[in-house]
Amino acid sequence: MLPVCGRASLRSRLCSSELFRTTSMSPYTPLGGLRPIHNGVKASSKDVDVVIVGGGHAGCEAAAASARRGASTLLVTPRPEASIGEMSCNPSIGGLAKGTLVREVDALDGLMGKAADAAGIQFRMLNASKGPAVRGPRAQMDRKLYKQHMQQLLAAVPGLEVVDGAVTNVLLKANATTSKVIAGVMLASGEHITCKSVVITTGTFLRGVVHVGSKTKAAGRMPSSDSENRSDRTAEASTSSSAARLTDKADAVAAAAAGTLAQTLSDAGFSLGRLKTGTPPRLAADTIDFSQLEHQPGDRNPLPFSFMHMGGPGWRPESRQVSCFGTRTTAATETWVNVCVASGRGAKFGIDMLGVTQGGCIEPRYCPSLETKFRRFPNRTHHVWLEPEGLDSNVIYPNGISNSMEEEDQMQMLKTIPGLQESVMLVPAYAVEYDYVDPRELQATLETKRIQGLYLAGQINGTTGYEEAAAQGLVAGANAAVPEEPLIISRSEGYTGVLLDDLINRGTAEPYRMLSARAEFRLSLRPDNADCRLTPLGIQLGLVQPQRAATFTAR
């Protein structure tokens, strides 16, 4: 069960028979570890309306949306200057259906589209030769720039403050109608923050386990410092590696806290499942033979994500634009991967890992591992897209070869792919398995049915992808701020509505990815009309700020 106020250990409180009694909250005291995003933000010395747990894509949008609706909002995340805006997997935003979600988030005055426009180093409209309903805006990101711009956007949001910390438990009180109502959160330090609503956005950190072949580690993602240290051969190497080490420390704190939080949710009666995701190895760009690769430039006349950048003609990206490159796996790749799988080498999932005995974990159907691709589609080759991770980075993200093979087997596998035969692997591919809450535990507002004032958003609800997380975060944050005037988006109004309706009514047994095929109204739910569909609703609910409202009216 969830603990009410008090500083006793979780283990002792789980044995208590008075867990859900009404209690009076201890006074809020300023947290010694409070760290604003920039020095202009002052620490809060009073209770807040909404606490956001986690600073990923869902957490950023939730925090900003809550504050835009007038709620005093606190975003709690370890080492915020390192963790907020971190792109854990692929260095890109948007895509088919996903790009529509980004436009919808932007139409409701969200942050992702604006950050992507500022940090984009290649813009492309996917399916440009087809009808507008199935086109997908997509952009390659500079990881460092995206993080920088997301933090700047958050720092500019009035009413939003940031705490350097980790939430381990939620605190409860009782009222006349229910025995489970949010009263606040407890930090790993033992300190309390009182609030009316909590939005949990823990991503893959909820009892997360990273697998690199047969090696495992309790974490939500792989540390980034190895790739930074090995690849950065410039004068800024020490600064880059220092920033990466900060992120790694933040991840370690988040993993420990999220493990406790997962147990808290389980003890409260929430139905938990186990999912898996993965990421490819990172390669050194200067060891790749680009002469063997297919050149893929960006669009000659790129289009932005944000409607705020569409008011006048001739928009151009702020950052220098680069190309991506393509190659394919070969028959030798398939042979080698199958040999490794048949020998039993590589990761093993869901076998009593950290007490999880639900029978294993399930990976994304639409973004499968290399091992799964060759099993499902034998005797075929598969695309591998080589994506730069930044303008000043030597790291290449080879999209399409996610796997959890042994490190030495991965290096041998790379030798079978044209252009990558001599490439240096900076960080091996890895898989992550993690807990998620059955999204049928949620209402359409993303508030949980079991606990009033508790909201969940992002991968904790069984989804996969930055864009799906951002859309959920915006909805959860907006509703946590003003629950009596909820933001509800129907299936006929947006892809966000399709996403939420599918989750809360059908649930998911695999990582849920947004697809245009899921939207029966997709002919009218185009990326180019997201503002016409949703901005008036945002204005009505006080979610859209005056500048955007004026821009929308002018368009």
Side-chain angles (χ1 to χ4, degrees):
M1 290 183 174
L2 295 168
V4 290
C5 305
R7 294 177 180 266
S9 69
L10 175 63
R11 184 179 297 277
S12 63
R13 296 198 64 80
L14 292 179
C15 300
S16 170
S17 60
E18 303 177 330
L19 290 176
F20 290 114
R21 67 181 181 179
T22 304
T23 63
S24 59
M25 294 295 299
S26 59
Y28 176 87
T29 55
L31 303 174
L34 189 70
R35 264 182 154 174
I37 289 180
H38 62 72
N39 294 331
V41 180
K42 302 299 182 182
S44 175
S45 59
K46 61 183 185 304
D47 302 340
V48 298
D49 295 323
V50 180
V51 170
I52 311 297
V53 182
H57 301 283
C60 289
E61 295 295 350
S66 172
R68 288 200 305 276
R69 293 198 79 184
S72 57
T73 306
L74 211 59
L75 190 160
V76 183
T77 188
R79 297 185 182 271
E81 73 279 14
S83 59
I84 289 178
E86 179 74 9
M87 304 185 83
S88 303
C89 193
N90 57 303
S92 66
I93 295 292
L96 299 178
K98 291 171 173 284
T100 305
L101 286 176
V102 179
R103 288 275 179 83
E104 291 182 356
V105 167
D106 184 76
L108 292 168
D109 221 1
L111 308 181
M112 177 173 274
K114 288 180 282 190
D117 285 350
I121 56 177
Q122 187 200 72
F123 290 78
R124 294 186 69 222
M125 181 64 72
L126 306 186
N127 277 352
S129 63
K130 298 184 179 180
V134 292
R135 293 173 188 166
R138 181 187 187 275
Q140 202 67 32
M141 295 292 111
D142 181 305
R143 289 185 187 274
K144 293 179 184 178
L145 286 177
Y146 185 85
K147 179 186 288 189
Q148 172 187 324
H149 286 289
M150 181 57 72
Q151 292 186 11
Q152 290 175 352
L153 288 169
L154 280 176
V157 177
L160 171 60
E161 298 171 5
V162 178
V163 164
D164 181 351
V167 171
T168 56
N169 279 305
V170 295
L171 309 175
L172 302 179
K173 62 183 179 181
N175 63 14
T177 59
T178 176
S179 61
K180 299 181 182 181
V181 181
I182 282 293
V185 298
M186 180 187 292
L187 303 189
S189 63
E191 295 167 290
H192 295 168
I193 301 172
T194 59
C195 61
K196 300 174 183 177
S197 301
V198 173
V199 183
I200 298 179
T201 68
T202 47
T204 58
F205 282 87
L206 213 62
R207 278 197 292 221
V209 177
V210 167
H211 296 258
V212 181
S214 56
K215 299 175 183 177
T216 62
K217 176 183 179 180
R221 59 188 170 210
M222 191 78 159
S224 58
S225 55
D226 281 349
S227 63
E228 294 289 349
N229 289 339
R230 296 185 204 176
S231 69
D232 197 336
R233 305 171 189 180
T234 68
E236 291 78 21
S238 60
T239 301
S240 177
S241 60
S242 176
R245 283 193 294 272
L246 280 177
T247 305
D248 301 344
K249 292 177 181 178
D251 289 353
V253 173
T260 304
L261 198 55
Q263 187 62 51
T264 296
L265 294 172
S266 178
D267 291 330
F270 285 94
S271 175
L272 302 182
R274 197 77 170 157
L275 295 177
K276 166 184 172 287
T277 188
T279 191
R282 306 306 196 265
L283 308 179
D286 56 7
T287 64
I288 294 172
D289 183 358
F290 288 94
S291 67
Q292 299 184 48
L293 307 181
E294 172 191 348
H295 180 227
Q296 186 186 67
D299 289 344
R300 184 180 299 273
N301 297 305
L303 293 175
F305 281 108
S306 178
F307 291 101
M308 296 295 286
H309 300 149
M310 296 182 188
W315 176 85
R316 302 301 300 176
E318 295 182 23
S319 302
R320 176 168 57 87
Q321 300 297 284
V322 301
S323 293
C324 294
F325 295 85
T327 184
R328 299 189 74 93
T329 62
T330 62
T333 313
E334 179 173 4
T335 298
W336 177 247
V337 171
N338 288 339
V339 166
C340 295
V341 172
S343 69
R345 299 198 298 271
K348 304 292 187 297
F349 299 100
I351 305 175
D352 295 328
M353 184 67 64
L354 296 180
V356 178
T357 57
Q358 291 97 328
C361 53
I362 302 173
E363 71 175 13
R365 180 188 307 185
Y366 302 103
C367 188
S369 65
L370 198 57
E371 299 96 318
T372 299
K373 285 181 180 179
F374 288 134
R375 186 181 72 249
R376 290 182 182 171
F377 309 105
N379 304 315
R380 298 187 191 181
T381 64
H382 300 276
H383 268 119
V384 182
W385 297 111
L386 304 180
E387 304 173 356
E389 296 207 345
L391 295 176
D392 63 350
S393 173
N394 189 47
V395 182
I396 292 290
Y397 182 95
N399 198 339
I401 54 173
S402 168
N403 69 85
S404 54
M405 298 190 296
E406 300 292 349
E407 188 168 352
E408 58 271 21
D409 291 338
Q410 294 185 38
M411 290 188 287
Q412 185 63 36
M413 178 267 294
L414 291 173
K415 296 180 184 301
T416 68
I417 300 176
L420 308 185
Q421 298 95 328
E422 304 297 327
S423 62
V424 171
M425 186 169 70
L426 301 171
V427 173
Y430 64 91
V432 186
E433 61 170 317
Y434 57 95
D435 281 0
Y436 78 106
V437 175
D438 185 336
R440 291 173 293 186
E441 297 264 10
L442 305 173
Q443 303 177 47
T445 58
L446 294 182
E447 184 179 24
T448 65
K449 298 175 182 177
R450 294 180 184 273
I451 300 176
Q452 182 180 329
L454 178 62
Y455 297 76
L456 307 180
Q459 286 180 279
I460 192 174
N461 292 337
T463 60
T464 181
Y466 304 152
E467 303 82 5
E468 289 86 346
Q472 292 174 72
L474 186 147
V475 171
N479 289 324
V482 190
E484 61 273 14
E485 297 181 30
L487 169 64
I488 304 291
I489 301 173
S490 70
R491 296 183 70 93
S492 63
E493 292 175 310
Y495 274 43
T496 302
V498 175
L499 166 67
L500 299 184
D501 185 71
D502 282 351
L503 290 175
I504 66 173
N505 289 311
R506 302 177 184 179
T508 185
E510 62 185 21
Y512 180 103
R513 177 175 179 171
M514 193 66 232
L515 303 169
S516 57
R518 299 187 191 273
E520 60 271 37
F521 299 100
R522 57 186 171 274
L523 292 180
S524 59
L525 303 181
R526 307 189 310 271
D528 62 343
N529 68 4
D531 59 338
C532 296
R533 293 185 279 112
L534 296 177
T535 300
L537 176 61
I539 294 172
Q540 176 186 337
L541 295 177
L543 184 59
V544 170
Q545 296 300 290
Q547 182 182 2
R548 181 176 293 270
T551 300
F552 170 73
T553 302
R555 289 187 70 230

